[in-house]
Amino acid sequence: MIGNIYYVGSRGLASYLITTPAGHILINSNLKTSVPLIRESVEKLGFHFSDVKILLISHAHFDHDGGSAEVKKLTGAKYMVVDGDVDVVESGGKSDFQYGNDATLRYPATRVDRVLHDGDQVTLGDTVLTAHKTAGHTRGCTTWSLRVSEAGKSYDVVIVGSPNVNPGYKLVSNVRYPEIADDYARGFRVLKSLSCDVFLGAHGSYYDMEAKYAKLNSDGPNPYIDSAGYKNYVQEREQAFLAELQKQRAAAQKQ
Ligand SMILES: [Zn+2]
């Protein structure tokens, strides 16, 4: 994509390989069934899957962390997860506030090797990633930032965890996650505070990955450099959150 960041996910589910001289970082293991495709993508790029030393996730939902047990088994990578998502990952999705009772959304429980907190850094070789807790979508939903260099210039990269309110999410009087609305609000403050040149996220659809990919090898600038697209996306998603919150508050008042 840019610098030492490679897309190794599927069309819909983003997975990023960040290469360094000391081994590689993988962000998102995707579905339980996705791992062979991720591995193949890594090897097609000329890297060894066994050189993945650190596994990170965008958030603890089955479509981003379901393959983590398999990735750990195949690579021996250290699994690093932000605090609010650790229980969920280690229970294979059972302790998720929304989907915990849905057995179809479970995945192999996976041990976390390092618990991260908001602002913590993950360093490998010459690459430093910062974990920004942007909770709400899950309790430990994480937006990653890092700096990359390409053609003598350096860029701020932001990999958005998820600012989305899923269908069925209760923002008001949520017994299992009382502070959910406050967490979303804080998450948007964090997203707005980040400097972003290169806009990436947990799903390619957040940043129009396919359209940008089609432009990648043309003569123009790298299409993933899209500071305005990032700002628009965050603003649009915040409006969607606020509208949903308003709607749920109004409905609660009528009861
Ligand atoms: Zn999700």
Side-chain angles (χ1 to χ4, degrees):
M1 305 188 97
I2 190 162
N4 57 337
I5 305 180
Y6 299 86
Y7 192 93
V8 293
S10 63
R11 196 163 237 165
L13 301 175
S15 177
Y16 302 97
L17 181 75
I18 302 170
T19 62
T20 91
H24 313 312
I25 298 167
L26 184 70
I27 303 183
N28 292 332
S29 58
N30 297 351
L31 302 166
K32 202 167 69 178
T33 53
S34 303
V35 180
L37 174 84
I38 294 174
R39 179 185 191 158
E40 200 185 303
S41 301
V42 169
E43 299 195 330
K44 259 194 208 156
L45 288 164
F47 301 108
H48 298 294
F49 197 55
S50 56
D51 286 338
V52 173
K53 302 292 182 206
I54 296 175
L55 173 63
L56 307 173
I57 52 170
S58 291
H59 60 263
H61 277 161
F62 74 105
D63 51 344
H64 307 290
D65 70 353
S68 292
E70 186 70 6
V71 170
K72 277 189 72 171
K73 199 173 90 186
L74 293 171
T75 64
K78 295 267 176 281
Y79 196 17
M80 304 184 185
V81 176
V82 167
D83 45 45
D85 274 355
V86 171
D87 282 1
V88 180
V89 161
E90 293 196 329
S91 71
K94 253 186 215 170
S95 68
D96 183 85
F97 72 91
Q98 182 76 17
Y99 303 118
N101 294 327
D102 186 342
T104 65
L105 302 180
R106 303 239 181 94
Y107 46 86
T110 315
R111 221 183 74 83
V112 171
D113 301 294
R114 179 183 165 198
V115 177
L116 301 169
H117 305 285
D118 186 34
D120 277 356
Q121 295 189 321
V122 171
T123 304
L124 188 66
D126 46 6
T127 293
V128 181
L129 284 111
T130 304
H132 306 275
K133 196 170 179 179
T134 48
H137 185 81
T138 64
R139 287 172 176 272
C141 184
T142 308
T143 294
W144 293 99
S145 71
L146 68 152
R147 249 177 124 66
V148 298
S149 304
E150 186 167 85
K153 281 191 180 169
S154 85
Y155 300 95
D156 289 321
V157 180
V158 176
I159 306 172
V160 175
S162 177
N164 297 312
V165 179
N166 279 7
Y169 270 30
K170 276 183 72 157
L171 299 175
V172 177
S173 311
N174 188 327
V175 182
R176 298 204 61 198
Y177 189 177
E179 67 283 21
I180 185 169
D182 292 339
D183 277 358
Y184 270 109
R186 186 189 164 278
F188 284 110
R189 286 199 296 276
V190 171
L191 291 174
K192 287 189 280 187
S193 75
L194 297 177
S195 158
C196 175
D197 302 310
V198 175
F199 171 28
L200 305 177
H203 293 276
S205 57
Y206 294 0
Y207 58 96
D208 222 355
M209 184 270 289
E210 289 190 57
K212 285 176 175 168
Y213 178 71
K215 291 186 205 150
L216 187 60
N217 291 319
S218 64
D219 289 337
N222 184 312
Y224 298 116
I225 300 171
D226 183 13
S227 175
Y230 174 77
K231 286 199 187 96
N232 289 339
Y233 177 76
V234 171
Q235 196 178 28
E236 192 273 324
R237 291 290 83 205
E238 185 177 31
Q239 290 312 313
F241 158 71
L242 290 171
E244 180 63 25
L245 182 60
Q246 193 67 34
K247 200 176 98 187
Q248 291 193 21
R249 278 186 179 150
Q253 262 167 11
K254 273 190 211 149
Q255 281 171 5

